[in-house]
Amino acid sequence: MNFSTVNNVYFIGVGGIGMSAIARYFVANGKQVAGYDKTPTEITKSLEDLGVEIHFEDDIKYIAHSFLNPENTLVVYTPAVPKNHSELNYFKDNNFNVLKRSAVLGEITKQTVCLAVAGTHGKTTTTSILGHLLNVCNVPVTAFLGGIGENYNSNLILNGTDVTVVEADEFDRSFLTLSPDLACITSMDADHLDIYGNAEELVKSFKDFSECIKPEGKLFVRNGLPLKGITYGIEDDSDYSAQNISIENGSYIFDVKTPKGIQKGFKFSLPGRHNLSNAIIALAMAVEYGCSYNDLAIGLETYKGVKRRFTYQIKTDDFVFIDDYAHHPEEIKAVYQAVREMYPGKKVLAIFQPHLFSRTKDFVDGFAESLSKFDELLLLDIYPARELPMEGITSEWLLNKINNPHKKLIQKSEIINEIQKSDAQIVLTIGAGDIGSEVKKIKEAFHHED
C-alpha cells in the first residue's frame, strides 16, 4: 500500500496504546488525523494537543467531512471494537480502505528496515529499550511502543523513518502481518487461550512468526526456547549473556559475553532479572544492526523505563510504592523476584486486579501460587475488559486457592484505608485493568512520606 496517496487517516479506537502510536506517526508524517474512542483519557488528550480531532460517541455525524472521501482516507481500527460499531460498518459499506492496526503496522514495516520484538512477556519493555538504544546511536528510527516510555513521555520515538522498531503482538495472530529484518522471541508461555484454544497452537504461531523474517534476516531467541536462532540469557552459555552481575545503589552492573568476546562495564537501572534479560536482547539486536558498544553502554545507562512497568511512584527510606502492569502468573513472579532482590527482608503488600475472566480461569493455579509469595495480599474484583462474566469465575474463587494467611478481597474504594492499616514498607499495585487509575490517588494519599 502506498501511503503517499493518503491525505487523511481516521482511527476507530484511537485511544488504544498501539493505535495512538500509529496516529502520532501519521501526524508526524503530515497527514490529517482524527478518530473515535469510547472514553476520554490522558492519551486522547495528548493526541488532541497534537491537533487530532476526537469524539466519544459512535455516530458518523461527528466525523469531519474531509474524512468521508474514500479516495484519500485510510481507516484504521482495533480488533477490540465491537462488530456492530456503526462508524466501522459505514466505512466498510462505502468501500473505504479499512485496515486493522496490525495490517497498517505491517505495511509500515515492509517499507523500512524492521526490528520486531515478540513474546508473551517483555515486549513493551524490550521494544522501548531497543528504540532508545537505536535513538541514542542516532539511527534514523521510528519505534512504536506499547506503553509510555519514561525517556520520551510518549509511545512513539521518532528520529527518522528508515528503520522501525515494533512490538510483534501474538494476540489474534496479528504479528503474522510483519516482515522483520531482525526479530526476537522473549518467551512463549501460554496466554490468550481464549484465542488459541491451547498452548501448542500458541507455540505454533510463534514458529509461523519466525518464518515471516526476511530471507537474509536474523532471529534471536531466549536460551531454552524450542527455536533455532541467536541465543541470549543471563549467566549462561548463550551467544549474548550478562555475566559478573552485581547490584550498586539499585542498578545492575555487569559485563556482556558476546560471540566475539567479553564487553565490560555496563549499567542498567530497571530492577528484576527479567528486565536485565530484556536489556541483553535489545543490546544484542542493536549490535547485530550495527551499533557500537560504547554508544550502547550510554543508551542502557540512560534508559528510564516504561510507565506501569515496575514504576516507582514513591521511593523513600521507609516507604516504597511501585506500580506494575503484570497480568500473568509469570509476570507476577518476575515482579516478586525484582522486589525481593532490591529489598531483601522488607515486608511487601501486593494489591492485584485480575484481568479477564478467561485468563483467570485458564491460569488460576498459577495466579494462586505467584500471589501466595507476598507477605500481604489485597485482591480486587476481576476487570472484564472485552469479556462477559463467566459463571463461577470470580476473585473470591481465586482468593480461596491462594495460600496466604494475610489475604483479603476488597473494593477499589478501600485500597487507601487498607494500606494505612498495614505496616508493610513496600506497596505494589499490579494488573492490566483500571487499577492504573488508582495509582494517582494512592500516591497523593501517601505523598507526605515522599
Side-chain angles (χ1 to χ4, degrees):
M1 183 187 174
N2 185 357
F3 289 132
S4 64
T5 61
V6 172
N7 295 344
N8 307 310
V9 190
Y10 186 80
F11 288 82
I12 302 176
V14 70
I17 196 77
M19 291 280 278
S20 58
I22 299 175
R24 284 174 182 275
Y25 171 79
F26 281 121
V27 170
N29 281 278
K31 309 296 184 190
Q32 290 297 310
V33 178
Y36 156 86
D37 209 289
K38 204 162 54 171
T39 47
T41 61
E42 282 183 27
I43 290 176
T44 58
K45 185 179 183 313
S46 67
L47 288 173
E48 287 173 323
D49 291 344
L50 291 175
V52 177
E53 277 193 26
I54 301 172
H55 60 267
F56 303 95
E57 196 176 325
D58 173 19
D59 194 319
I60 206 77
K61 72 181 182 192
Y62 295 111
I63 301 174
H65 187 71
S66 55
F67 289 86
L68 297 177
N69 179 355
E71 299 297 314
N72 61 9
T73 300
L74 168 66
V75 177
V76 186
Y77 73 100
T78 165
V81 170
K83 299 264 190 298
N84 62 353
H85 196 276
S86 66
E87 290 183 15
L88 179 60
N89 287 317
Y90 172 86
F91 287 120
K92 284 181 173 175
D93 294 344
N94 287 278
N95 298 319
F96 280 75
N97 196 350
V98 180
L99 293 177
K100 261 192 203 175
R101 179 188 75 90
S102 55
V104 175
L105 207 49
E107 288 296 333
I108 293 169
T109 63
K110 285 188 181 96
Q111 297 165 34
T112 58
V113 176
C114 173
L115 286 71
V117 177
T120 42
H121 324 296
K123 282 190 295 294
T124 298
T125 301
T126 305
T127 306
S128 164
I129 299 169
L130 180 54
H132 178 65
L133 292 180
L134 295 179
N135 191 46
V136 167
C137 296
N138 210 24
V139 173
V141 64
T142 299
F144 297 92
L145 312 180
I148 305 296
E150 298 275 14
N151 291 77
Y152 306 92
N153 198 29
S154 176
N155 51 351
L156 186 73
I157 302 172
L158 193 60
N159 190 39
T161 53
D162 297 354
V163 179
T164 47
V165 174
V166 298
E167 285 188 35
D169 192 356
E170 75 282 357
F171 175 72
D172 80 355
R173 298 180 172 84
S174 64
F175 60 0
L176 302 182
T177 60
L178 301 175
S179 305
D181 295 82
L182 303 177
C184 75
I185 297 175
T186 63
S187 48
M188 300 193 308
D189 293 309
D191 198 1
H192 301 303
L193 297 187
D194 52 328
I195 302 289
Y196 285 97
N198 59 51
E200 290 74 25
E201 273 300 305
L202 181 74
V203 170
K204 180 182 175 296
S205 78
F206 277 106
K207 288 183 173 161
D208 292 343
F209 167 70
S210 71
E211 287 161 17
C212 296
I213 297 169
K214 290 172 188 163
E216 299 301 306
K218 294 175 182 174
L219 176 67
F220 300 75
V221 294
R222 199 187 55 179
N223 200 4
L225 293 180
L227 287 168
K228 282 197 166 51
I230 298 166
T231 56
Y232 73 97
I234 293 179
E235 294 177 328
D236 61 11
D237 60 353
S238 303
D239 298 312
Y240 288 87
S241 88
Q243 303 284 345
N244 307 319
I245 302 164
S246 61
I247 295 175
E248 291 178 19
N249 297 327
S251 296
Y252 289 113
I253 310 293
F254 59 99
D255 302 331
V256 180
K257 171 185 163 288
T258 79
K260 296 181 179 173
I262 296 271
Q263 297 287 329
K264 296 196 166 182
F266 291 89
K267 181 178 181 182
F268 186 67
S269 294
L270 244 62
R273 293 287 173 117
H274 61 301
N275 283 321
L276 185 55
S277 174
N278 295 335
I280 294 297
I281 181 50
L283 177 119
M285 290 176 80
V287 167
E288 297 282 342
Y289 173 78
C291 295
S292 77
Y293 283 106
N294 284 347
D295 288 341
L296 292 172
I298 294 166
L300 281 184
E301 185 165 350
T302 56
Y303 177 73
K304 293 180 185 170
V306 178
K307 284 194 191 335
R308 298 221 63 224
R309 304 307 194 277
F310 211 93
T311 303
Y312 284 102
Q313 299 291 339
I314 299 173
K315 190 178 186 183
T316 66
D317 290 342
D318 50 6
F319 186 77
V320 174
F321 170 34
I322 297 161
D323 177 45
D324 195 277
Y325 186 74
H327 53 284
H328 183 284
E330 292 303 316
E331 294 166 352
I332 294 169
K333 281 182 193 170
V335 169
Y336 177 79
Q337 181 274 323
V339 168
R340 275 286 164 253
E341 189 173 45
M342 291 299 158
Y343 299 102
K346 291 207 170 177
K347 192 170 189 179
V348 181
L349 163 65
I351 304 152
F352 177 58
Q353 180 187 47
H355 185 260
L356 297 178
F357 297 104
S358 58
R359 186 182 281 125
T360 306
K361 173 173 153 285
D362 291 335
F363 304 111
V364 67
D365 292 333
F367 280 122
E369 185 198 344
S370 59
L371 293 168
S372 295
K373 295 173 182 290
F374 296 100
D375 299 308
E376 295 180 16
L377 175 71
L378 299 173
L379 191 63
L380 299 175
D381 286 330
I382 297 169
Y383 182 75
R386 55 186 178 267
E387 294 182 337
L388 294 170
M390 294 180 175
E391 194 175 341
I393 310 303
T394 64
S395 285
E396 190 160 358
W397 174 62
L398 169 58
L399 188 79
N400 289 334
K401 288 178 171 282
I402 295 169
N403 181 17
N404 186 326
H406 306 289
K407 62 181 181 180
K408 190 174 183 183
L409 185 61
I410 65 162
Q411 299 301 308
K412 281 186 294 189
S413 58
E414 299 174 89
I415 290 175
I416 288 166
N417 191 31
E418 289 295 334
I419 296 172
Q420 283 167 338
K421 284 193 219 165
S422 170
D423 61 350
Q425 297 119 309
I426 318 291
V427 173
L428 297 171
T429 44
I430 310 172
D434 61 1
I435 189 171
S437 61
E438 301 300 311
V439 169
K440 199 172 170 189
K441 299 175 197 170
I442 299 167
K443 191 173 178 179
E444 283 169 3
F446 294 92
H447 75 281
H448 59 273
E449 307 265 7
D450 211 347

